[in-house]
Amino acid sequence: MGPHPAVADVRRAVRESLADLTRGGLVLVACSGGADSLALAAGLGFAAPRMGLRAGLVTVDHGLQEGSARQADRVVRLAPSLGLDPAEVLAVTVGTEGGPEAAAREARYAALAGAAERLGAEAVLLGHTRDDQAETVLLGLVRGSGPRSLAGMAGIVGIYRRPLLGLGRSVTTVACAALGLAPWEDPHNRETRYTRVRVREHVLPVLCEELGPGIPEALARTAALCRDDADALDAWADRVYREALTGRPPAEEASPPARPAVCLSVSVLASCPAAVRRRVIRRAALAAGSPSGALAAVHIAEADRLVTEWRGQRAVHMPGGVGVVRNAGVLAFERMCWGSPAKESRAQG
């Protein structure tokens, strides 16, 4: 008699996710002890040796609630029974920048990346499911962040892999029960002060009740379609960015910038569709030193107006002290000392 269908689904998802890895390589699973990551850990422990891979486990102790160290220790002690070795607790210190969710995520990924490098892992598996993907798409809609945000989470990004994106959260719960595993219920997953929890607990259930039970699946399909479109536009923007780079420094430089200016041909930018042009402008702003997390659509739109609605405007302010000026057919992105007459008045068609 074969495994329970839910168990089989998880194992198959793991096998498909790891099919391209080199035999003998180490794969780590990031496991909190919740149903999703616990089912994933069990699936990895089963599939890895049959694929000629080594499998280990890491669990992150954020230290944000009483008993977190005990829970992390419990997960590590469970690893041998799942066929996972090595198994480690990664204790982190969570900061405050960007809010509690963002700060915890940043600390968690930094710890996972460090563990993967130290242990020589080829991949780190994350337990995000189709329901998590649906939540991510809804959050992207609320932010109005565009198709890249609506594309949700990718199945593979660098060393990180998400084998369960095609499976619902109910599958992992059933798989754990079928395997006799007792998942841990993280109290933070019920804390409605977190935006994602409110989406999970209130918004998605209302949508399913009012519009039908297939909402998570539909949102996940939307993410996949948006990802295909965004990937195509990004590849187009990469080509245009290389073509638009002029290498020309801005004229009348009062003092050397902190890093070389990024200069783009206005005529090349003007020949592109808006979706491509704005992606190119974002790349230039990031290359000049604007922080990704602070760079918003409004900044990109203002810089875009220097191309499409040129009226002799002064420099556009970007996060990170970066300014954008148009001069002699070139759009220059550079660090600026705001208020300097030479800098501000240099922009001319």
Side-chain angles (χ1 to χ4, degrees), residues 133-134 137 147 149-153 218-228:
Q133 186 77 296
V137 173
S149 182
L150 298 184
M153 297 175 285
L219 290 171
R221 285 196 301 273
T222 297
L225 293 170
C226 285
R227 179 164 298 280
D228 288 344

Side-chain angles (χ1 to χ4, degrees), residues 65-66 71 184-192 194 197:
Q65 52 189 299
E66 186 178 352
Q71 168 57 23
W184 173 61
E185 292 289 341
D186 186 350
H188 281 177
N189 287 339
R190 300 292 181 182
E191 286 277 356
T192 54
Y194 298 122
V197 174

